[in-house]
Amino acid sequence: QEFFIRSWLRESAHLPEEAHPITGIKIMFYPSRYHSGLGSIFAMGDICSLIHDEDADVCILEEPEHLNWYKAPSLDNWPNKFRHVVGIIHTNYKA
């Protein structure tokens, strides 16, 4: 997934600096489990607590409903943790 995203940034979006794996955007994956009965992925634990405050500027959540259906209790939530939060929902359930 990360390789695909970085390739798209570099080749389609023409953002080579952002695509760089060291100096570009930071892509994080969270611990999760697939629930076959619901056909969905659920986060395991408090995702906000995994992100250092100094890294909490802009957050782009891919399919944010997976992170918010059953959120772990915490003082942090996305808008409190980050200056800017963007959610991208793109599931194509007809495919």
Side-chain angles (χ1 to χ4, degrees):
Q1 283 180 318
E2 183 173 351
F3 177 80
F4 177 83
I5 294 166
R6 293 193 187 283
S7 295
W8 181 88
L9 283 169
R10 187 174 41 261
E11 297 161 17
S12 297
H14 307 290
L15 297 168
E17 292 178 18
E18 288 80 358
H20 193 278
I22 306 289
T23 58
I25 64 169
K26 184 180 280 189
I27 298 173
M28 297 178 65
F29 295 93
Y30 57 88
S32 62
R33 289 206 179 135
Y34 179 73
H35 188 290
S36 59
L38 296 173
S40 188
I41 297 169
F42 293 99
M44 302 300 296
D46 182 6
I47 305 306
C48 284
S49 70
L50 301 176
I51 302 163
H52 299 287
D53 288 340
E54 60 269 11
D55 293 329
D57 184 25
V58 176
C59 181
I60 302 172
L61 301 171
E62 180 185 17
E63 299 194 65
E65 70 275 17
H66 294 279
L67 295 170
N68 293 304
W69 280 332
Y70 297 105
K71 187 178 175 325
S74 152
L75 296 176
D76 282 332
N77 60 39
W78 302 110
N80 289 342
K81 181 80 175 183
F82 292 88
R83 289 177 25 146
H84 304 282
V85 179
V86 177
I88 301 173
I89 301 173
H90 58 79
T91 302
N92 180 356
Y93 289 106
K94 293 182 180 181

